[in-house]
Amino acid sequence: GEDVKPFTPEKAKELVMSLQQPAVFCNMAGDWPALHWNTKYLSVVLDGKTIQFRLGLKTVDLVPQFETKCSYVEATLAEFLAWSCGQPPCLSGPFSRYEYSKYWAYADYKYIARIFEDKPEIFQDIRWSDFGFPGRSGKESTLWIGSEGANTPCHLDSYGCNLVLQVQGRKRWHLFPPGDTSFLYPTRIPYEESSVFSKVNVANPDLKHFPEFRNATAHVVTLSPGQVLLVPRHWWHYVESIDPITVSINSWIELDADHEARVEEAITRMLVCAVKSAENPSDGDLWLNPTEVEATSHEINLQYLNEAVSAYFRCQKAGVLGQARPSSAAAEQRTSASRKRKKREVGREPEDSGSLNQELGFSTLQAEKLQEIPFGPHLIQVLPESQETSLMGAAAVKSDGSDLLRENEGGHFGKSHCTRKQLVTSNDYRTPAHQTGTDGSPNASQTALSTNDLLDCLVNPRVISLVARLLLERTRV
């Protein structure tokens, strides 16, 4: 019958938890009521309620357009629709200062549980239970609404893996494997809990200052309505809206590996806050992402570190660490567990891990023994751009009336159409970190190292991982 899906919930969950590269599920959400969540419908449901939009320039620069560089407005979806449809500019209203041809707008990271708190029945429109996560609905999901050009800077999520349902319009995803981290020049400035940003604008890479980016391997996919993208743990991603209006819904799936990641994030927070708070505030460095309320004190950060370490050992005592298993239904329903950008309450114990792995759990070793992944019309592998054209997909894969799922763009990145191999020929716009004197030694008067340069080394993911392991070993003794 038409309600039969290509994968059972058990098989879908097995795939989600074992796949180590991004893939697209087709024909798994065709009967979800959430597929009717276009902006016109949501505008009626929200009934004049305002939400915050982030606005950025459509011009493509050599540096990422971080959220600290964007503008913000509070507006209704009706106002957003009028603006994004190119209606004559109004003399008043939240978007009146932003010409549509020059700006994009993004209502991102909107927790459905929060914006629809007075309409909890709508949570059931999202059925992650079809992917083997019973009880997970819109209450544990996030809503994204953007205009053409709206984008998220390239970053990786410290916690969990990610399932993304495309509802309206199309989005193009540029994904990079965890092994490419050093090629993406990771930074924690701007600082945000659980996000490691790249200093490279992957839509227009500055290979003069970030030459190692040539070695990065992009996996590019255009996600269409009805399709669900799996972003595995620690995969980098840059996302851009390529249609006039886009709507998508995602949910971060908690993993046992998140317990060690919380220790790493606590160490990072302590170091970043300590070093940046010591700087002269008049320098005007917007180092804290708008999603972070404030720079927490050393005492609070130390408390958070101790709580994260305690949670790690509670989980280890339960004998479940070291296994990439899904959390139990009860743990999944805790919206404060590993959800991005959710502030943790001071003094509250991190989530209890004792109930983890009670359903459909399996170890990494078992995952390796899985039979061949059933790639095909219902599960599309997101291949590297460097693959041959015959593999990349001149093949048209359609789902729910979608356009091409994969496209070989010959290394093109977004609007800039700039390949990774193409050298940037613009003038040098920054002072080199070191300039040498006649004897070849660094010229101190021209040294341009900053606090952020030091932090990029101190809180590099590889360094923080080593520090976390040393700290856990010390605590274990």
Side-chain angles (χ1 to χ4, degrees):
E2 60 182 19
D3 292 334
V4 176
K5 300 182 185 297
F7 305 109
T8 64
E10 293 77 14
K11 184 60 177 179
K13 184 169 189 176
E14 185 179 65
L15 291 168
V16 167
M17 305 306 291
S18 62
L19 279 167
Q20 299 300 308
Q21 67 180 84
V24 176
F25 288 86
C26 300
N27 307 310
M28 284 292 289
D31 59 346
W32 290 19
L35 281 184
H36 301 294
W37 284 26
N38 57 40
T39 46
K40 291 183 179 178
Y41 171 79
L42 292 173
S43 179
V44 173
V45 174
L46 287 172
D47 191 25
K49 185 175 183 178
T50 61
I51 55 179
Q52 187 182 72
F53 287 85
R54 176 166 60 94
L55 290 107
L57 288 168
K58 289 183 177 181
T59 54
V60 180
D61 201 352
L62 289 174
V63 294
Q65 193 167 180
F66 290 123
E67 295 172 45
T68 51
K69 300 178 181 178
C70 293
S71 302
Y72 295 83
V73 300
E74 294 283 337
T76 65
L77 272 184
E79 291 169 326
F80 167 75
L81 278 170
W83 177 78
S84 61
C85 290
Q87 293 184 7
C90 301
L91 296 178
S92 61
F95 291 104
S96 59
R97 295 172 48 202
Y98 305 96
E99 189 176 336
Y100 177 74
S101 63
K102 297 180 179 179
Y103 289 88
W104 49 257
Y106 210 1
D108 50 2
Y109 297 97
K110 303 304 179 210
Y111 293 115
I112 291 172
R114 190 174 302 162
I115 61 177
F116 295 116
E117 59 186 352
D118 56 337
K119 297 179 175 66
E121 65 278 2
I122 204 172
F123 300 159
Q124 303 312 312
D125 286 4
I126 302 165
R127 302 172 178 174
W128 298 115
S129 57
D130 284 346
F131 285 85
F133 301 98
R136 183 176 287 262
S137 65
K139 188 177 181 181
E140 297 83 22
S141 303
T142 309
L143 180 67
W144 310 69
I145 303 171
S147 66
E148 184 177 1
N151 63 80
T152 303
C154 187
H155 68 284
L156 69 79
D157 302 324
S158 302
Y159 306 137
C161 62
N162 194 2
L163 285 174
V164 187
L165 168 69
Q166 193 61 29
V167 175
Q168 179 181 359
R170 296 169 302 158
K171 280 185 174 179
R172 184 169 294 133
W173 288 70
H174 305 260
L175 301 119
F176 302 86
D180 282 0
T181 293
S182 62
F183 306 144
L184 289 158
Y185 297 84
T187 183
R188 296 313 298 262
I189 304 297
Y191 173 75
E192 171 185 283
E193 167 81 15
S194 82
S195 291
V196 183
F197 291 103
S198 169
K199 299 176 78 171
V200 182
N201 181 0
V202 301
N204 188 28
D206 181 356
L207 298 180
K208 185 173 184 178
H209 292 100
F210 306 113
E212 290 298 312
F213 182 69
R214 293 185 185 89
N215 300 317
T217 302
H219 296 59
V220 180
V221 61
T222 298
L223 200 64
S224 297
Q227 297 170 341
V228 176
L229 171 67
L230 166 67
V231 181
R233 183 174 188 262
H234 284 182
W235 271 72
W236 293 83
H237 45 285
Y238 165 80
V239 192
E240 58 178 338
S241 298
I242 60 175
D243 281 333
I245 296 178
T246 62
V247 176
S248 52
I249 297 167
N250 86 294
S251 190
W252 284 280
I253 307 300
E254 184 182 19
L255 303 172
D256 281 347
D258 294 344
H259 289 280
E260 185 169 350
R262 287 192 188 95
V263 176
E264 295 175 356
E265 285 297 293
I267 295 169
T268 300
R269 174 179 284 272
M270 176 174 286
L271 290 174
V272 171
C273 288
V275 173
K276 294 299 291 184
S277 297
E279 280 192 320
N280 188 338
S282 64
D283 291 345
D285 181 16
L286 300 176
W287 63 274
L288 201 62
N289 222 36
T291 51
E292 292 288 331
V293 178
E294 61 182 356
T296 42
S297 68
H298 179 77
E299 290 73 23
I300 290 176
N301 291 336
L302 185 60
Q303 181 180 350
Y304 178 43
L305 174 61
N306 277 281
E307 290 173 350
V309 170
S310 296
Y312 173 92
F313 283 111
R314 285 201 307 272
C315 190
Q316 187 183 59
K317 187 176 181 180
V320 297
L321 267 186
Q323 301 175 4
R325 297 179 177 177
S327 58
S328 69
E332 285 164 5
Q333 292 175 14
R334 294 185 180 129
T335 59
S336 62
S338 61
R339 180 190 285 176
K340 274 177 60 70
R341 306 188 179 212
K342 177 74 173 178
K343 300 300 168 288
R344 288 154 178 78
E345 300 171 13
V346 176
R348 182 176 62 82
E349 286 276 317
E351 17 317 306
D352 180 18
S353 57
S355 60
L356 293 175
N357 311 297
Q358 293 177 1
E359 53 162 306
L360 294 176
F362 61 93
S363 67
T364 302
L365 179 61
Q366 288 172 307
E368 294 173 352
K369 293 180 180 179
L370 284 175
Q371 294 181 350
E372 184 179 356
I373 301 296
F375 291 120
H378 305 298
L379 183 65
I380 311 300
Q381 185 178 10
V382 182
L383 294 171
E385 276 194 319
S386 58
Q387 295 282 357
E388 295 295 330
T389 302
S390 59
L391 296 176
M392 271 303 292
V397 181
K398 295 191 176 184
S399 172
D400 302 322
S402 67
D403 293 329
L404 287 180
L405 173 65
R406 293 173 294 169
E407 52 192 31
N408 179 18
E409 297 185 6
H412 291 173
F413 281 80
K415 299 177 182 177
S416 65
H417 300 295
C418 189
T419 67
R420 295 195 306 276
K421 302 295 183 183
Q422 181 179 358
L423 286 173
V424 176
T425 57
S426 62
N427 293 329
D428 186 0
Y429 65 97
R430 294 190 307 185
T431 304
H434 294 285
Q435 293 187 1
T436 58
T438 55
D439 60 351
S441 61
N443 187 334
S445 64
Q446 295 179 329
T447 298
L449 283 174
S450 66
T451 304
N452 291 353
D453 291 325
L454 176 61
L455 277 174
D456 283 343
C457 299
L458 282 177
V459 296
N460 182 283
R462 290 180 297 172
V463 175
I464 291 297
S465 178
L466 176 60
V467 172
R469 291 175 187 176
L470 291 171
L471 185 65
L472 291 170
E473 288 177 8
R474 175 185 291 267
T475 308
R476 183 181 288 110
V477 173

